[in-house]
Amino acid sequence: MKKTFIARNPSALWFLAALAIFTILVTVLSESVGAGIISTSFLKTLGKTLCLCLVAIAMDVVWGYCGILSLGHFAFFGIGGYAIGMWLMYARTEGIVVTSLQSNPLPSTPQEITDAIGTQIFGVVGSSEFPALWAFSQSLPLQLLAVVLVPGLLALVFGWLAFRSRVTGVYLSILTQAMTLALSLYFFQNDTGLRGNNGLSGLQNIPGLEDRSQATVSLWFFWASAAALAMGYILFAYVVSGKFGSVIRAIRDNEARVRFLGYHVEHYKLFVFTITAMVAGIAGALYYPQAGIINPAEIAPIASIYLAVWVAIGGRGRLYGAVIGATVVSLLSSWFTGGSAPNINLGFYEIRWTDWWLVLLGVSFVLVTLFLPKGIGGLFDALVRKPDVDRQGDYGPDKGAWRDEEGAPE
Amino acid sequence: MSTLLEVSGVSVTFDGFRAINNLSIQIAEPELRAVIGPNGAGKTTFMDIVTGKTKPDEGRIVFGDRGDSILGMSESQIAQAGIGRKFQKPTVFEAQTVRENIAMALKNPRGPFDVLLSRKADNSETRIREISDEIGLTDALDFQSGALSHGQKQWLEIGMLLAQDPRLLLVDEPAAGMTPAEREHTTELLKRAAKTRAVVVVEHDMEFVRRLNCKVTVLHEGSVLAEGSLDHVTQNQDVIDVYLGR
Ligand SMILES: Nc1ncnc2c1ncn2[C@@H]1O[C@H](COP(=O)(O)OP(=O)(O)OP(=O)(O)O)[C@@H](O)[C@H]1O
Ligand SMILES: [Mg+2]
């Protein structure tokens, strides 16, 4: 079985090999175990990029393969981040609080400890009560479960409602945008209990690993991200290959026809929507400890649109295309917006890339759509694949039957 | 021979235009039935209704041994119940290979988990071979089906229909785009399928219908104008007026 999987997905093998080499290379050049050429902050950028690649391949499966242009998948990514962030904040604050309370002459009661943690965490929003959302925050296993289950459940309910009513195309995209907008507004409220626009912070400090340097912890997260990306890639390569892949691509191309073959299209869409949401949650849970902070702006509607842009630029309908798109665009983005790109002085006007990067991205997106409809990944076709045939057959011999007019698909 | 499909008193209106008007048809199992009629008579719309694509305004459609109404069923449920269809314009998945198209149609469990976890059923490769031999596309199994000619796409869709192994086959203009030899082969194939199943064929080519050698239903303006053997209906004055004499 393994052999046939590889045989059916030669690109998966190439991808995994490239990822392994990249991981080894970065490790060798890292500060904590290697030559120290890659700074810890850049190591974090690389680790985060791997997480973005993971959510991008999820997006590619849902959009590029199944044809559902979800503009809400970053919400699932953010939920994953919040879920792990809650444990990180709780456990770390607990550590600090317990240490500081030890100096008290009397041992403190559990209630006092909890109150002190609550004041520490929720002081910024003028509260000290633990909101209901934090019920499991002291338990790492439960919050880890939440990383996959909450996005999965949300996707399941949302998808069930949307697909069952046969909402498709641009209407579905708008609906997913509404979902992520609603969620981000909800998270923004102080009452929600997720610290409003402050978000969760200090996530780079991992409880229990206080004596490890950030250089080491970052490398571990980089490894974890690489491993998650590898597993995600294998999972999705399996999903989109074989007959299941055949069915979802058929749904993308002509879902009505698939129904007449006896497939419940809605179930397939729901499956794909949900499983990609769960993977997006995992990606987010690995991303935000490396970023150190998460706030509701992260799941603003624009974030999910960027995700679609990455996949489009990289080339949808091929997993490595999504990886290329996410890597190229997010690294370029941090280069341009980080102020490293040299400004261009036109004499009368200075192009500052921090302001103009979005314009550049927009223009590149339009150019890619126009001239490279298969994205950057499409360039690989010239190497390996025969060009796709798109032959429109004629309509048969007898002209009298109005076939052209009546023969529209569906 | 028992009744498999019973359509009674069905009407459909598109924006005030009555495409199907109080139509009643019964198909037995096994049976081969040809449906003819002028353009716009409602032949394709009849198939749309039976496959769940178009919901009728009124009327009753029951299918199968227990006489279940198909009106409340979705397209995919109807297909799973055993009604398969070939479209007037061949609609195959052009971006996929002939093999993938047939494999998708093969009668196997249809749920997402079944499909995801299915190790290839032992007989599926054999079945694909049999079907591709039947439709003459064995050499093209690994071609993208978008590269096929119109006639070959017709064949592929017929092959997909056979792969589904339905109890009722609705075949809309199968012979369009085929050479005379292929038409003959199609006739043979449909006749053979009709030995164990119900097959409804819509076709304009009278020669083709004659070779099918079966009961013929003539549709006109959405209802049945005449029914019986080909010779019987071709002598009917109404049929001559609206269809044959044009
Ligand atoms: N979705 C629709 N909306 C509006 N009118 C429709 C629709 N579908 C069919 N019609 C009309 O209903 C009538 C019957 O169409 P139908 O396609 O069933 O004819 P047909 O018998 O299959 O003709 P042909 O032999 O040309 O294929 C036609 O006048 C057609 O224009
Ligand atoms: Mg028709």
Side-chain angles (χ1 to χ4, degrees), chain A residues 242-262:
Chain A
K243 194 164 151 192
F244 191 90
S246 181
V247 174
I248 60 174
R249 277 177 286 132
I251 289 174
R252 172 191 69 193
D253 294 339
N254 187 350
E255 69 172 67
R257 184 69 181 89
V258 179
R259 289 204 177 92
F260 292 114
L261 287 179

Side-chain angles (χ1 to χ4, degrees), chain B residues 151-233:
Chain B
Q152 285 173 314
K153 286 181 192 167
Q154 295 273 48
W155 277 115
L156 176 54
E157 213 183 358
I158 293 172
M160 290 165 71
L161 189 57
L162 296 175
Q164 270 176 275
D165 194 18
R167 291 178 73 183
L168 170 64
L169 289 76
L170 302 172
V171 195
D172 204 347
E173 304 204 14
M178 289 186 175
T179 63
E182 287 177 322
R183 284 173 185 235
E184 207 151 320
H185 182 184
T186 314
T187 328
E188 291 313 313
L189 204 152
L190 292 173
K191 279 164 114 169
R192 215 176 323 135
K195 288 217 170 77
T196 52
R197 284 172 275 223
V199 180
V200 177
V201 187
V202 165
E203 191 47 73
H204 282 289
D205 178 0
M206 277 304 161
E207 230 6 82
F208 187 90
V209 175
R210 183 168 299 284
R211 269 201 308 270
L212 286 178
N213 189 24
C214 64
K215 188 169 168 185
V216 176
T217 299
V218 186
L219 285 194
H220 177 56
E221 294 181 347
S223 42
V224 176
L225 188 66
E227 203 164 72
S229 72
L230 187 60
D231 289 331
H232 171 78
V233 299

Side-chain angles (χ1 to χ4, degrees), chain A residues 11 15 57 60 233 314 318-325 377 380-381 385:
Chain A
S11 71
F15 174 79
I57 58 175
D60 195 19
Y233 200 98
R318 60 185 86 220
L319 296 178
Y320 59 89
V323 171
I324 294 172
F380 284 86
D381 283 356
R385 268 203 225 165

Side-chain angles (χ1 to χ4, degrees), chain A residues 246 262-264 268 407 410, chain B residues 53 76 80 89 96 104 110:
Chain A
S246 181
Y263 291 95
H264 294 308
Y268 281 81
E410 307 199 340
Chain B
K53 186 178 163 192
S76 45
Q80 284 187 5
K89 177 187 175 182
Q96 303 198 32
M104 229 186 297
R110 293 292 203 232

Side-chain angles (χ1 to χ4, degrees), chain A residues 146-225:
Chain A
V147 163
V148 277
L149 291 189
V150 177
L153 213 63
L154 177 62
L156 195 67
V157 172
F158 179 90
W160 187 70
L161 292 171
F163 300 141
R164 196 186 51 133
S165 337
R166 300 211 177 161
V167 181
T168 52
V170 67
Y171 300 101
L172 188 95
S173 306
I174 292 171
L175 219 56
T176 53
Q177 280 271 283
M179 175 196 75
T180 186
L181 178 62
L183 204 69
S184 110
L185 292 179
Y186 176 66
F187 281 18
F188 256 121
Q189 289 179 343
N190 288 347
D191 296 344
T192 309
L194 293 170
R195 301 184 6 131
N197 59 356
N198 304 290
L200 310 180
S201 54
L203 308 183
Q204 73 279 21
N205 304 306
I206 313 301
L209 298 181
E210 286 87 355
D211 49 343
R212 302 285 179 166
S213 70
Q214 274 297 310
T216 311
V217 174
S218 303
L219 188 63
W220 289 354
F221 266 96
F222 175 80
W223 287 341
S225 308

Side-chain angles (χ1 to χ4, degrees), chain B residues 2-4 29 60 62-69 73 81 167:
Chain B
S2 60
T3 305
L4 179 66
E29 181 184 43
R60 216 166 58 93
V62 295
F63 176 76
D65 310 318
R66 285 178 299 155
D68 296 327
S69 167
M73 292 159 74
R167 291 178 73 183

Side-chain angles (χ1 to χ4, degrees), chain A residues 400-403 406-407 410, chain B residues 12-15 17-20 35-48 53-54 88 172-173 202-204 219 222 243:
Chain A
W402 297 5
R403 290 193 170 78
E406 298 193 348
E410 307 199 340
Chain B
V12 173
T13 312
F14 294 116
D15 310 321
F17 169 72
R18 261 194 178 224
I20 296 288
V35 175
I36 61 174
N39 293 132
K43 305 181 295 291
T44 300
T45 309
F46 157 69
M47 295 192 170
D48 286 348
K53 186 178 163 192
T54 302
Q88 180 162 0
D172 204 347
E173 304 204 14
V202 165
E203 191 47 73
H204 282 289
L219 285 194
Y243 187 41

